[in-house]
Structure formats: C-alpha cells, structure tokens
Amino acid sequence: MTARLKINGADKQYEPGTMPKTLADLLATMKIDQATVVAEIDGAIVPREQFSATRLADGMVLELVRFVPGG
C-alpha cells in the first residue's frame, strides 16, 4: 500500500519504505535548503531547529514556502 503526503496542494505517493522519514529528509530529497524554507504540517508551523526531529506520516498535509533572494 502506498503512503501519501500532500505538498503545497499536490498529492505525492510513495511506495512502501520509500517515503522520507523526517521533514529534513523530505527537504533533502527535494533539494531545498532548510535555511530558505518555512514549513507547515497539518496547519502548524514547524520550527527550523525541529526539521530533523519531525517525523512524517501517511496523510500529512505540508505547505512549504521558500524565500527567494532578489525580488
């Protein structure tokens, strides 16, 4: 059975055993620098220092907002 995350409104499905275990793992697989992102899971903002300790689970809804220099 596949596991699912909803990331910025898009469903992402993972085969068994392939879903990133933590928020930090997810950001690494997406090639997103942790210093440039604000993360919200199921409506709650996750402090950056907790990215490595924040476990992901099937059905979670994530919003990732990246800061882009320039403007």
Side-chain angles (χ1 to χ4, degrees), residues 6-46:
K6 184 171 276 208
I7 304 171
N8 292 349
D11 284 324
K12 175 74 175 161
Q13 293 189 23
Y14 297 91
E15 293 301 318
T18 65
M19 188 170 86
K21 293 185 183 345
T22 67
L23 178 55
D25 293 341
L26 175 68
L27 295 174
T29 63
M30 295 176 74
K31 299 185 183 345
I32 296 175
D33 181 358
Q34 292 183 31
T36 65
V37 69
V38 173
E40 179 183 283
I41 297 178
D42 295 334
I45 293 177
V46 179

Side-chain angles (χ1 to χ4, degrees), residues 49-64:
E49 60 272 5
Q50 293 182 9
F51 285 4
S52 293
T54 302
R55 308 269 309 160
L56 300 178
D58 183 31
M60 284 183 160
V61 177
L62 293 85
E63 292 293 328
L64 305 174

